[in-house]
Amino acid sequence: MYRIGEFSKMSKTTIKALRYYDEIELLKPECIDKFTGYRFYTTNQLVKLHHIQALRQVGLSIDEIKLIMSGHGAERLLNKRKNELEAELANGAEQLSRIEFILSGKGELDFMNYQAVIKELPQCIVYSKRMTVPNYDAYFELIPAIGQKLVTKYPDLKCIIPEYCFITYLDGEYKEKDINVEFCEAVDKMKEDFDDIKFKSIESVTAVSVMHKGSYAELSQAYAYAFKWIEENGYAVINHPRESYIDGIWNKQSEAEWLTELQVPVIKK
């Protein structure tokens, strides 16, 4: 579980907003320490907050979102907002395109399916390693080994909290074997490169974010959704997509509980 400050950083949502969502019972903490009063959140609530952010970004009010989150009036409310945007098309083109995407049937209203959110990925320092992996299952051995190598070389080096690690695919096409990738993990300070481990600063960037819950074998569905959303909402891809691993084999017993965030750097056309 994450304290409210860590959850705020992970979700790119202010502490003030999280406290407000708690107060109005839109998103309550998983638990509150009865002695300290600290609020604690889980990654399951990150998915729910993602849905709230998606609806906020199309201009729905808090009261309307509470209705939708309780399972009432989603299509009626979205059509109402669509009509409002059509009346102010010059100023509301971006929000209108997102609603059109939902109402077209390409984005499901069922919250078990995907939602796209625009977010700013902050600047960070990472250590990275480029490698060719034989297949996707090889990650389970290769990535922990990289982490152990860093601990041995730089025992004082710490990962940022909340942790942020991701893989980018460098081939420019889908491959099932001999895949060229770059693994990155965000850390608290810059160090000297060694062997095939490189340190660098990554600039902040705007990205389309899609949460995928389940097996990595089904990530292609998240990619298909993200790129269709980008195409139909007037954005252009400017860099390699990132797969950011939030929950996985290291802390969840079932593949169904694995949580991966697909982040696609974009610019508005």
Side-chain angles (χ1 to χ4, degrees):
M1 289 195 292
Y2 301 91
R3 286 174 57 173
I4 191 169
E6 296 168 353
F7 192 74
S8 170
K9 292 178 183 178
M10 181 183 295
S11 63
K12 307 299 184 292
T13 304
T14 65
I15 291 176
K16 181 179 179 180
L18 291 172
R19 286 174 173 162
Y20 177 62
Y21 291 164
D22 178 14
E23 179 182 339
I24 64 173
E25 299 187 347
L26 179 60
L27 181 70
K28 298 192 72 63
E30 181 71 16
C31 65
I32 299 176
D33 189 293
K34 63 181 180 180
F35 297 107
T36 65
Y38 292 152
R39 294 170 168 86
F40 289 91
Y41 294 82
T42 67
T43 51
N44 283 335
Q45 290 170 301
L46 184 63
V47 176
K48 186 174 180 181
L49 181 56
H50 221 63
H51 298 151
I52 294 169
Q53 290 172 326
L55 293 173
R56 286 292 286 163
Q57 287 185 359
V58 302
L60 294 181
S61 70
I62 291 295
D63 287 340
E64 289 169 333
I65 293 172
K66 289 183 74 173
L67 279 173
I68 291 176
M69 298 297 283
S70 65
H72 301 291
E75 186 170 0
R76 176 182 62 81
L77 290 169
L78 284 168
N79 272 305
K80 173 177 174 289
R81 181 61 180 150
K82 176 177 177 289
N83 292 335
E84 292 172 353
L85 288 172
E86 287 175 334
E88 52 186 69
L89 183 59
N91 295 322
E94 184 173 347
Q95 289 184 352
L96 179 61
S97 69
R98 296 184 189 187
I99 288 182
E100 289 284 7
F101 185 80
I102 295 173
L103 295 177
S104 68
K106 300 181 183 70
E108 295 292 336
L109 297 179
D110 183 348
F111 287 145
M112 294 300 290
N113 295 308
Y114 299 117
Q115 295 284 349
V117 169
I118 295 290
K119 66 163 57 174
E120 293 297 317
L121 304 180
Q123 181 181 26
C124 60
I125 297 169
V126 302
Y127 69 81
S128 69
K129 176 181 171 69
R130 293 196 173 201
M131 53 189 171
T132 300
V133 297
N135 52 56
Y136 295 98
D137 290 338
Y139 291 152
F140 299 124
E141 294 183 4
L142 292 174
I143 291 178
I146 297 170
Q148 186 57 50
K149 189 174 183 179
L150 262 293
V151 169
T152 302
K153 177 69 174 179
Y154 295 123
D156 63 323
L157 189 66
K158 294 181 174 58
C159 294
I160 64 168
I161 301 297
E163 294 183 5
Y164 179 42
C165 67
F166 60 90
I167 281 178
T168 57
Y169 293 88
L170 307 177
D171 290 305
E173 62 176 328
Y174 175 74
K175 295 173 68 176
E176 293 187 348
K177 60 181 181 179
D178 298 329
I179 311 151
N180 293 302
V181 303
E182 181 178 25
F183 170 74
C184 296
E185 181 147 10
V187 290
D188 63 344
K189 64 188 73 172
M190 190 75 73
K191 292 286 191 179
E192 292 290 329
D193 299 344
F194 72 100
D195 295 343
D196 51 359
I197 304 295
K198 309 294 182 184
F199 285 80
K200 61 183 177 180
S201 177
I202 297 179
E203 296 300 318
S204 61
V205 67
T206 300
V208 171
S209 166
V210 174
M211 291 289 186
H212 171 77
K213 196 159 191 178
S215 167
Y216 299 147
E218 298 171 353
L219 266 168
S220 60
Q221 299 172 22
Y223 275 91
Y225 179 92
F227 283 106
K228 188 66 174 175
W229 191 97
I230 290 166
E231 177 185 348
E232 297 204 358
N233 286 276
Y235 287 86
V237 177
I238 60 171
N239 210 331
H240 297 295
R242 305 176 186 178
E243 289 179 9
S244 175
Y245 307 106
I246 299 171
D247 285 333
I249 193 171
W250 56 91
N251 67 341
K252 299 293 182 182
Q253 293 184 347
S254 169
E255 280 189 354
E257 294 300 312
W258 294 359
L259 182 61
T260 306
E261 182 179 7
L262 175 60
Q263 302 168 338
V264 186
V266 295
I267 57 171
K268 189 70 176 174
K269 289 182 179 177

